[in-house]
Amino acid sequence: EKCLLVTLPGYTRGIDFYGPLMFVGLSKVKCQKEEEKLPLPLSDQETLSGIWIVNLESNKVIGNIEFKSGIEQVYDVAVIKETSYPSLLDADHKKIKHIYKFRGCGK
């Protein structure tokens, strides 16, 4: 059985697979008290938030989507199979009101 070991620059918060590809959601490590620190970062490098793609056949990172601002925590990752042109929409985008229905208190 093959063992996979890949070091990524963040805290793993979700994994999904598509063929030989593994999609890994990474979150930035929040500020911690010295005695509670996780073993990340392994060096003084900054942790990152985004989605990293690992080829399981070569054990190599083949790409990533890094969130530069606004998103520091990723809670899960899912591959949406058989779709064309998926996208991320900002909460203020006009298409959002056709996707979600928001209800306020008492309405």
Side-chain angles (χ1 to χ4, degrees):
E1 191 171 309
K2 191 175 180 180
C3 179
L4 172 68
L5 178 62
V6 177
T7 301
L8 299 173
Y11 185 71
T12 301
R13 296 290 293 271
I15 297 177
D16 202 1
F17 300 89
Y18 186 76
L21 303 179
M22 178 173 66
F23 294 79
V24 183
L26 296 182
S27 292
K28 288 186 175 187
V29 175
K30 297 178 183 179
C31 294
Q32 300 172 331
K33 296 177 185 172
E34 191 62 37
E35 64 273 8
E36 297 174 352
K37 281 198 171 188
L38 295 170
L40 283 175
L42 297 175
S43 66
D44 290 333
Q45 87 182 47
E46 177 185 7
T47 56
L48 304 175
S49 174
I51 301 169
W52 266 246
I53 306 165
V54 178
N55 184 314
L56 298 173
E57 294 171 345
S58 66
N59 269 11
K60 295 194 185 302
V61 174
I62 60 169
N64 70 292
I65 300 168
E66 180 186 342
F67 301 128
K68 293 286 192 181
S69 66
I71 301 174
E72 293 188 351
Q73 302 296 306
V74 173
Y75 294 97
D76 201 2
V77 174
V79 174
I80 305 171
K81 297 175 177 128
E82 299 179 22
T83 59
S84 299
Y85 309 107
S87 60
L88 295 171
L89 299 176
D90 184 84
D92 296 328
H93 196 282
K94 65 182 180 179
K95 288 185 179 180
I96 289 290
K97 60 184 166 186
H98 300 291
I99 296 173
Y100 299 102
K101 184 172 185 178
F102 296 101
R103 293 185 185 187
C105 295
K107 293 183 181 181

